[in-house]
Amino acid sequence: MQRIDQILREFGRRFLAVAAGCLLTGSLIAQDVHFSQWQTTPMRINPAMTGVFDGTVRFSNNYRSQWSSLGKGYKTIHASLDAPIGKGKLNNGSFFGGGLLVIQDKAGSAELTSTYIEGSLSYTMAMDDAGDHWFSLGFQGGLNQLSLDLTKTTWDAQWNGDKFDPALPSMESIQLQQFAYLDFHAGFMYYFVPNEYNAFNAGASMAHIGSPNISYFVNGEDALPSRYTIHSSGLLSMNRDNFLFFEPRLLGQLQGKQLEVVGGGLLRNKLQFKSRYTNYRKEMYFSFGGYYRFKDAIIAAARFEFKSQKSAFGLGVSYDFGTSRLARLAGSANSFEINLSIAGLVPRGQRGSQFNKMPLFF
């Protein structure tokens, strides 16, 4: 036990040091797609989060629209499905997790499209007999695709002195309008769950291991930089009746020279309905708050969640108010995002201790 405590203290010290370094460094938007409601896209942040939640199956769907003032801007769709495997059947409460992630991002008038289809696998083990401390390790990989519609592009050579003439040759030699590449990611996460009302987690991941080649030329070399992510969040009960909670969150992502840091939190209020005759409970949660994406945006966020005995439903909305220099030049760089999450739950009479203590994480 002393050895575990030493490991946890060292991990915490290093995590805080990296987080502080991120906050003190200048920030730019990362090259990969990103979401303001990043906690609802767990497998994109860290494959170690696959299947780590209180339930039997979890579905999450996000839609994000940003930079609409600059042409067609960016439209991003995220969908993921994951589940724990062998929960309550392996030794010491350990279990596996499996999932599928699909993301499509379209940018600009030429519809530069990135499509990600990836599978994820994780393993979670208890670090103590009480089941308060847990450690997860995850891997993810898939065949991703990039495409570009050249019929919707315009080039300098097509300017005839008066206007753009699409009949003129572009004088460009782009060889590939569509291609696929293999991509791999890995990560780990530690989380602490003393009870079902309080929790803490922190993790790190590396995306694009090996920096795959994403050149649009047959013999070209254009390496996709690896993305390094650290993240942490918590669930803190604020009163004795466990009806008011605070959910702090911190995310840092570094990809090449691009850095993204997001910090903030939500206040969460619970309403509970109980049948007089059957003791059947239904719970509703209303959350509101905000985040700050360093040197880029102020994010206002709200969320509604409903839990019955067998399922949970979540609906979240957020709006980014751009504060960057580009936002000022463009006149507007605001972004809108919506999330829909659904999870299957284990009925109370059939739960083991690991289900009872673990937060829903959705």
Side-chain angles (χ1 to χ4, degrees):
M1 189 63 188
Q2 185 177 5
R3 176 58 178 166
I4 292 176
D5 289 339
Q6 291 175 349
I7 293 173
L8 293 179
R9 283 197 296 269
E10 180 64 12
F11 175 82
R13 185 183 68 80
R14 290 176 180 269
F15 179 84
L16 290 174
V18 174
C22 288
L23 290 170
L24 293 173
T25 308
S27 172
L28 291 172
I29 300 299
Q31 293 173 335
D32 280 356
V33 298
H34 70 156
F35 295 91
S36 294
Q37 300 178 62
W38 58 267
Q39 74 281 0
T40 64
T41 63
M43 285 188 287
R44 198 206 74 83
I45 295 297
N46 190 341
M49 301 176 76
T50 305
V52 179
F53 63 96
D54 178 14
T56 57
V57 64
R58 174 176 60 180
F59 170 78
S60 182
N61 181 217
N62 293 59
Y63 172 77
R64 179 176 176 83
S65 174
Q66 60 182 358
W67 298 102
S68 56
S69 61
L70 299 177
K72 289 190 175 181
Y74 293 78
K75 311 292 183 186
T76 310
I77 298 174
H78 158 277
S80 66
L81 182 70
D82 66 325
I85 302 170
K87 203 169 193 180
K89 299 179 181 179
L90 303 180
N91 293 332
N92 199 26
S94 300
F95 62 94
F96 291 94
L100 178 67
L101 171 68
V102 178
I103 297 177
Q104 186 174 77
D105 179 65
K106 287 189 176 182
S109 301
E111 295 188 354
L112 175 62
T113 303
S114 304
T115 304
Y116 310 86
I117 303 177
E118 300 178 344
S120 188
L121 181 66
S122 70
Y123 177 70
T124 302
M125 61 180 179
M127 301 176 68
D128 62 348
D129 293 335
D132 292 341
H133 303 272
W134 298 81
F135 183 82
S136 298
L137 184 66
F139 299 93
Q140 188 169 301
L143 190 64
N144 300 332
Q145 185 183 82
L146 286 174
S147 63
L148 178 68
D149 189 349
L150 292 178
T151 63
K152 297 180 179 180
T153 62
T154 56
W155 307 87
D156 290 349
Q158 294 176 310
W159 179 256
N160 63 12
D162 254 341
K163 61 181 181 179
F164 281 103
D165 184 355
L168 294 175
S170 67
M171 308 303 291
E172 301 293 331
S173 59
I174 295 178
Q175 298 166 307
L176 301 173
Q177 295 187 48
Q178 179 176 303
F179 64 92
Y181 62 95
L182 288 171
D183 205 4
F184 299 97
H185 326 284
F188 64 88
M189 182 175 74
Y190 159 77
Y191 58 99
F192 173 57
V193 278
N195 53 57
E196 60 182 308
Y197 304 111
N198 296 276
F200 167 80
N201 71 80
S205 66
M206 178 181 179
H208 315 307
I209 297 174
S211 297
N213 183 17
I214 57 170
S215 174
Y216 279 86
F217 298 91
V218 173
N219 297 318
E221 288 290 337
D222 188 6
L224 178 62
S226 296
R227 185 184 81 240
Y228 302 92
T229 300
I230 59 171
H231 61 91
S232 179
S233 63
L235 176 68
L236 306 174
S237 178
M238 304 294 287
N239 59 1
R240 291 183 178 181
D241 296 329
N242 298 309
F243 277 81
L244 182 64
F245 302 86
F246 178 56
E247 298 179 316
R249 296 192 178 101
L250 172 68
L251 174 71
Q253 297 189 100
L254 178 66
Q255 186 175 20
K257 296 181 179 180
Q258 315 302 316
L259 177 66
E260 178 185 32
V261 177
V262 186
L266 300 178
L267 280 175
R268 188 184 193 206
N269 187 50
K270 179 172 90 170
L271 298 176
Q272 182 169 283
F273 303 91
K274 182 178 178 181
S275 170
R276 179 181 302 175
Y277 303 103
T278 64
N279 200 31
Y280 181 68
R281 297 179 180 179
K282 294 182 180 180
E283 298 174 351
M284 289 194 302
Y285 298 85
F286 295 93
S287 304
F288 65 93
Y291 309 94
Y292 178 58
R293 184 180 299 114
F294 197 57
K295 291 187 177 181
D296 182 63
I298 296 172
I299 305 165
R303 187 168 181 82
F304 166 78
E305 294 178 12
F306 174 81
K307 290 178 66 176
S308 65
Q309 201 171 26
K310 295 183 179 180
S311 62
F313 166 88
L315 180 65
V317 293
S318 62
Y319 195 82
D320 298 14
F321 297 90
T323 60
S324 66
R325 184 169 177 268
L326 179 57
R328 294 192 296 270
L329 292 174
S332 174
N334 300 339
S335 306
F336 172 75
E337 186 177 321
I338 186 168
N339 164 262
L340 170 65
S341 298
I342 302 172
L345 304 181
V346 179
R348 288 185 179 273
Q350 302 176 22
R351 290 183 169 192
S353 60
Q354 286 78 32
F355 283 99
N356 278 332
K357 295 174 64 175
M358 187 178 296
L360 189 57
F361 285 131
F362 101 144

